Amino acid sequence: MSKEEHIAYLDQMNRELVRELHRYDILITGMRVSLSIQKKALKLLNELQQNIAIAESEHAFYWKVSELVSRHLEMTACKIGLSDHQNPGSVVLMDNNEVLDVSGLEDIKRPFILKSGDKRLSGQEEISRKLGLASMLYFPLLHNKEIKLLIITGRASVDHAMKQDVNEEDLSTLEAVGTLITSYWSKSELIKLHETDRIKTEFVSNLSHEFRTPLTLVLGLLDEMKNSLLPIMDDREKESFEVVYQNAIRIKELIHQLLDISQLENSPDRLQVTRGDLAQWTGKLAATYATLARKKGIHFKYTINSSVEESWYDADKLEKIISNLLSNAMKYTDRNGEVNLTLETKESKGTAMAFFEISDTGQGIPESEQENIFQRFYRLNHDGKSSTEGTGVGLYLVKVLTELHLGKVEVHSEPGEGSLFRIGIPLSREIYKDDAVKPELPEKRAHIEPGQSALENDRALVLIVEDNHDLNLFLKTNLEKHFNVLTAHEGKEGLELARKEIPDLVISDVMMPVMNGVEMSKRLKEDLLTGHIPVLMLTAKVDRDSKIEGLDSGAEDYLSKPFDMEELILKVRNHLDTAKKIRNNYHSLLIENPEVTDVHTPEDQFIKRLVELMKRNLADPDYQLDGMCRDLGISRSQLYRKIGQLAGMKPGELFRNLRLNTAAEYFRSGQNNITQVMYRVGFNNLSNFAQSFKKRFGANPSQYIKNVH
């Protein structure tokens, strides 16, 4: 090879090497572009996912999708189209509300890529021209097989050297965006369903609360009639009365069920298991249904086989479970049919278990319905017709409460042959967490004879605060047989009346206009004048949070509507009896013990303040009731009632005894000048001082001094 040929060969090789290097450079540049696109796509998806959680509305979320796609994928535009229900082949563009006709496409529900050099198919040219896009991505999102959202994005001009034409990677990114949008839709639907469900539950709960007040009146009056008129009714009247009474009780039970469901769903209930005799408990419950069975002509039998020595269970939850199942069995069993209740307790896999079986010979449940009967508000169909009986909450409540009790419910049924429900719950203490076990407290039993007054010779003064006029009158009529009664019809009026009259006890509704019962109770307890008065709340709201709110306001007790009048009267008497014990404590502290001349921070701040005033003015013989009332900012009648309730005496008697106790303390400390002591404790007549001192301590001042030295 000549020198010239060798140089030509090397030049040719150099040219090929340059071309190869250029090809590798193009490949590397393409990879860099591809990696850059993937990085931007990942950033787009990450930001979009974050916006799912914070988007204020669907439209705001769609605007964010448009902005993120345009920015991260470097598109000229990203148009979001919403389905046009009036024109199925069109969408409405969000940015200008312009209607975009996509009906000319071969398949409007299929995504496609339209690159700058591609041949425009039917309808594609019109869309790309109208939106000003040289290359375009068309991506529809379907919901229920129809277009709900359409994303059209692309670039107005394309630099092929920079790989700016839309491609399959862009389409893959949009597919991922579509997945996130679908996820957002699912989340939004769940939120809407939850909110709708919450509104429904709240409506049912509020409606049930409204039923409780009139039902209290109905049951209260029926109880009165039962006690006074039933003995003189003939058989037909008694039968009619029993029908009315039982239906009123049934309404009460249904309201309780609806409120139980509302409570379980809004603030999940907690177990309160205690140790008990499950066999005995079951026998008592079954006995209450034996009477109902006899009236309906149903043969009812219960069998108890218990081999477990110790049982831990929530009696309240279990009663609701078994009562619902027994009530249903009685309801759907015809006359001369059978209902059976069986309890068997035994060890199963090292754990004590209780198995309840409730069977009947009623209508039975079709197999196709058995999966649905435990759903809320589901009513069983018989013969293809919707049931008009029941509310569809009983079996739902059974399932929820059984699972709360860590148990399981099963059903076996054949149409025309009856049904069998089986409940299994654990009875071992170790199964339940500590916060599910109710502390065992000694049982307190209050025994008060009928007609016994809590205030000995005085009838107690009770203030009723209830906005329902009929219930207010009903309470007044029944309570004034035992107590003196004042009435108010809303919280503000009740607060003012309580400050004026200082009642011995306040009975208040919770939900009232102007000022509710919780706020009134809180203000009563914050006021030195009324802070000692017991408050008993009557309310239709029976959930745990409402009870805690009421008790947190200072109320001593909580009674849910509809209530039993005898129970209310007993509660009132018990609280008055407690007030009497507190009063005796103050009486002993201030009067009976002559050694006590100082009050060491008594429970009631009013007494503390009053005693401080008395001690400050002890040497002033002219400081009497008018001065006390002026310094305390109250009237004479308020002072008399307050001191009477707290210490069981008159204000003047309290002041005189405090003066005499202080005089005795001076004598015991060695101060023997009777006249000086007399003036220091506010007496200005020696004879009067000596008589009062002798009456108090059984000796005149001279004898007392000799006795103590």
Side-chain angles (χ1 to χ4, degrees), residues 404-422:
L404 181 66
H405 216 303
L406 309 181
K408 185 179 179 182
V409 56
E410 299 173 349
V411 59
H412 305 280
S413 184
E414 290 290 338
E417 295 185 12
S419 304
L420 183 147
F421 286 85
R422 180 178 172 87

Side-chain angles (χ1 to χ4, degrees), residues 398-569:
V398 166
K399 182 176 185 293
V400 172
L401 292 179
T402 301
E403 291 175 351
L404 181 66
H405 216 303
L406 309 181
K408 185 179 179 182
V409 56
E410 299 173 349
V411 59
H412 305 280
S413 184
E414 290 290 338
E417 295 185 12
S419 304
L420 183 147
F421 286 85
R422 180 178 172 87
I423 302 288
I425 63 165
L427 299 177
S428 300
R429 165 64 181 85
E430 58 269 16
I431 293 294
Y432 301 103
K433 295 180 180 179
D434 290 341
D435 61 358
V437 178
K438 187 176 181 180
E440 293 187 88
L441 299 174
E443 188 176 0
K444 295 183 179 180
R445 295 185 178 273
H447 178 71
I448 299 180
E449 297 297 331
Q452 178 184 342
S453 171
L455 294 182
E456 297 177 346
N457 298 327
D458 255 347
R459 279 165 65 97
L461 180 63
V462 175
L463 170 61
I464 298 168
V465 189
E466 167 62 60
D467 62 318
N468 183 283
H469 177 77
D470 292 333
L471 183 55
N472 195 311
L473 181 61
F474 174 71
L475 287 167
K476 180 177 183 294
T477 302
N478 281 274
L479 291 175
E480 65 185 3
K481 298 172 185 176
H482 310 274
F483 317 105
N484 293 328
V485 176
L486 296 170
T487 61
H489 292 84
E490 47 87 9
K492 186 178 180 183
E493 181 189 359
L495 182 63
E496 292 171 353
L497 197 56
R499 282 187 54 84
K500 180 181 178 183
E501 300 294 340
I502 319 295
D504 297 292
L505 182 136
V506 174
I507 297 173
S508 175
D509 189 15
V510 172
M511 300 170 70
M512 295 183 293
V514 185
M515 181 187 292
N516 63 42
V518 173
E519 180 63 24
M520 184 196 72
S521 175
K522 184 181 293 186
R523 295 196 185 187
L524 284 173
K525 295 301 179 179
E526 290 172 350
D527 194 321
L528 288 180
L529 192 61
T530 57
H532 70 286
I533 301 174
V535 177
L536 198 159
M537 292 283 194
L538 300 178
T539 181
K541 300 182 77 172
V542 295
D543 59 283
R544 180 172 174 269
D545 290 343
S546 296
K547 286 183 178 181
I548 290 175
E549 183 186 19
L551 295 173
D552 191 50
S553 72
E556 276 71 17
D557 212 339
Y558 210 92
L559 193 60
S560 62
K561 299 176 183 177
F563 53 83
D564 183 272
M565 183 53 69
E566 290 184 11
E567 181 185 2
L568 174 61
I569 292 171

